[in-house]
Amino acid sequence: MKNDKTILIIDDDSKNIFALNAVLKAKKYDCVSANSAAMGLEMLKQNKNIAIVLMDMMMPEMDGYEAIRAMKNDEALKEIPVIAITAQAMTGDREKCLQAGADGYVSKPVDISELVKLLDLLF
């Protein structure tokens, strides 16, 4: 595994989790996943090995923007980089994600080479 660090994928769509997980595992990344922001935040508090978060921005209950703000306001979690992953690829969406505290942004469908470049930068 790269650096023995874990990537947390937070997405309410199990197909997205499955696809990202498969591709990242093939590239020797270790992944865990959560299907809600609340579950993801709980996993972050319990698993100190999570080095980076891939955050879906459009989720029910708590969206990615709220979840990133919660992470950045938590002393124990604020240093963990977050890559926003969203189907929202309109003008200004990237800026909106970065303003919310994301460290990177990738639009869906995910360009894996772009994602891996970002991961290598942030790891």
Side-chain angles (χ1 to χ4, degrees):
M1 303 304 138
K2 297 206 176 188
N3 300 337
D4 290 330
K5 296 290 185 186
T6 302
I7 297 171
L8 171 60
I9 303 166
I10 302 176
D11 196 317
D12 63 316
D13 186 333
S14 58
K15 291 187 292 293
N16 290 339
I17 289 175
F18 180 82
L20 277 172
N21 208 351
V23 170
L24 292 170
K25 275 196 174 17
K27 298 202 174 287
K28 304 288 186 248
Y29 288 101
D30 189 25
C31 300
V32 293
S33 61
N35 58 13
S36 73
M39 182 194 287
L41 291 171
E42 196 52 45
M43 287 176 74
L44 280 164
K45 290 175 182 162
Q46 293 177 6
N47 184 344
K48 300 301 177 210
N49 211 31
I50 294 171
I52 198 160
V53 175
L54 303 183
M55 179 80 70
D56 178 31
M57 299 310 285
M58 297 295 144
M59 292 183 283
E61 290 146 38
M62 181 190 296
D63 66 18
Y65 300 102
E66 291 174 76
I68 292 172
R69 278 192 290 276
M71 281 180 68
K72 298 304 177 181
N73 288 326
D74 186 315
E75 215 40 55
L77 307 178
K78 70 180 187 181
E79 299 301 322
I80 299 171
V82 178
I83 297 175
I85 298 190
T86 183
Q88 300 289 309
M90 307 295 283
T91 305
D93 284 327
R94 182 177 199 276
E95 291 71 23
K96 188 176 169 190
C97 290
L98 297 175
Q99 283 171 349
D103 299 279
Y105 170 90
V106 178
S107 61
K108 291 178 185 175
V110 174
D111 176 335
I112 295 303
S113 59
E114 182 185 343
L115 177 58
V116 168
K117 271 188 225 157
L118 254 178
L119 289 171
D120 288 342
L121 274 176
L122 294 170
F123 256 115

